[in-house]
Structures are given as structure tokens and as C-alpha cells.
């Protein structure tokens, strides 16, 4: 098949995605600025044929496999010394996320309550209804926090799923 014939063939979604992935890698490497990346990405997703895709990567070097790369390899992520071992401390991100969402919701609900009280007849304080959101949710957060300190293995499956999702998100980035 000649070059002209290939250029006229329809590109598949996988072909467009492969070009988009290489463009993202080029931005991460500093080979493209965001404006160039955006322009080329739009062209990649709008491409109908291989000919439309061909010019988007011409000025970028191919990705060298890690074994042939002249760059220092990335250090692997630290794994527990024993398979299946879990840190005794609860994950800080999990605690921060749980309590952070509770705090944000508490502030928003209290702000709505204060604004509705002020909008009434001159700062006449209304019934503090946010207690029904803040109280039970805070009790659940407190119970989960205490349990995570007392029995750190109670949700090992959740932690394993969390670690796997983090690995996947790092791999996708």
C-alpha cells in the first residue's frame, strides 16, 4: 500500500487516542506548550483519515522504551515489606477528605442558616436546622476515625481499592 493510499484511509478512535496520548506526553516532557497542545489535540480528535493525523506528530521524537532511554529511570513506588501488610496509621488523605467534606458542608449549611436568619426580620435567629446535617454526619466521621485508629485492618479492601485507583490515575497521567 502506498503512502497516498494510507493517507486516504479512515482513522479509528484508537488511532486518534494514540495521537492524543503522544501529544499529552509531549506536553509533560515540555516539548509543546499548552496552546500548541490544544490546537493539535483538537485536530487529532477532528481527524477523519490517517493523512489528517500524520502531520500532528512529525516534529516530535518517538517515545524511547525505558530500557533504551538515556534518562534516569523513575524510582518505583515503595511497597509494603510484607505482601498484604497495611500501615498501622490510617491514610491521612482519607481522613482529610472525610473531615474536609464534612467541614465544607458544615460551613455552607451554617452560612445559609445565617443568611436566612439575617434576611428575616432584623437578625431574628431562626431554629438552627444545620444541626441535623452537621451532627449525624460528624458522628459518623468520628466513629470511622476512631475505628480506623483502633482497628486499622477493618477496611483493608477499601484501602487496597484506593491504592489501586491511585496507581491507575498515576499511570493515566
Amino acid at each position: 500500500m502506498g503512502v497516498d493510499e494510507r493517507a486516504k484511509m479512515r482513522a479509528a478512535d484508537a488511532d486518534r487516542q494514540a495521537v492524543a496520548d503522544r501529544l499529552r506526553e509531549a506536553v509533560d516532557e515540555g516539548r509543546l506548550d499548552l496552546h500548541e497542545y490544544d490546537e493539535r489535540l483538537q485536530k487529532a480528535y477532528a481527524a477523519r483519515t490517517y493523512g489528517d493525523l500524520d502531520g500532528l506528530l512529525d516534529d516530535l521524537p518517538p517515545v524511547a522504551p525505558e530500557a533504551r532511554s538515556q534518562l534516569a529511570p523513575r524510582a518505583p513506588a515503595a511497597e509494603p515489606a510484607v505482601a498484604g501488610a497495611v500501615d498501622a496509621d490510617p491514610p491521612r488523605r482519607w481522613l482529610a477528605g472525610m473531615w474536609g467534606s464534612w467541614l465544607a458542608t458544615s460551613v455552607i449549611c451554617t452560612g445559609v442558616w445565617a443568611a436566612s436568619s439575617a434576611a428575616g426580620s432584623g437578625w431574628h435567629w431562626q431554629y438552627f436546622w444545620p444541626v441535623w446535617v452537621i451532627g449525624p454526619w460528624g458522628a459518623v466521621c468520628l466513629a470511622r476515625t476512631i475505628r480506623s485508629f483502633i482497628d486499622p485492618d477493618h477496611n483493608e479492601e477499601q484501602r487496597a481499592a484506593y491504592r489501586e485507583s491511585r496507581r491507575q490515575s498515576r499511570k493515566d497521567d
Side-chain angles (χ1 to χ4, degrees):
M1 163 180 5
V3 176
D4 290 335
E5 293 173 16
R6 182 189 170 280
K8 293 179 184 178
M9 291 181 68
R10 301 285 284 198
D13 287 341
D15 300 319
R16 286 183 280 277
Q17 188 60 48
V19 170
D21 291 343
R22 178 59 190 117
L23 291 172
R24 182 180 46 79
E25 290 169 4
V27 167
D28 292 344
E29 296 166 350
R31 298 182 191 280
L32 293 176
D33 63 29
L34 290 177
H35 180 71
E36 290 174 303
Y37 169 70
D38 186 49
E39 284 179 354
R40 291 185 190 200
L41 190 64
Q42 288 178 15
K43 289 177 183 177
Y45 283 123
R48 293 188 179 167
T49 65
Y50 285 117
D52 296 338
L53 290 173
D54 284 342
L56 300 176
L57 302 177
D58 285 347
D59 61 340
L60 298 174
V63 177
E66 193 171 310
R68 290 187 324 167
S69 175
Q70 295 179 6
L71 300 175
R74 236 187 327 197
E79 294 292 326
V82 178
V86 177
D87 296 336
D89 298 319
R92 287 194 174 118
R93 287 185 184 171
W94 174 74
L95 285 173
M98 180 177 65
W99 282 104
S101 60
W102 174 84
L103 179 63
T105 303
S106 300
V107 169
I108 290 170
C109 287
T110 303
V112 169
W113 169 79
S116 63
S117 291
S121 57
W123 286 98
H124 175 63
W125 297 111
Q126 298 177 2
Y127 173 72
F128 188 69
W129 58 264
V131 72
W132 296 107
V133 175
I134 297 169
W137 190 359
V140 169
C141 290
L142 182 61
R144 291 185 73 190
T145 301
I146 291 171
R147 183 167 180 193
S148 70
F149 281 104
I150 293 172
D151 182 16
D153 296 330
H154 80 280
N155 60 352
E156 183 169 340
E157 288 180 9
Q158 289 176 340
R159 289 187 188 159
Y162 173 77
R163 284 193 301 267
E164 182 60 30
S165 71
R166 292 295 298 158
R167 282 189 197 116
Q168 284 299 106
S169 69
R170 282 189 210 117
K171 199 183 279 186
D172 293 342
D173 289 340

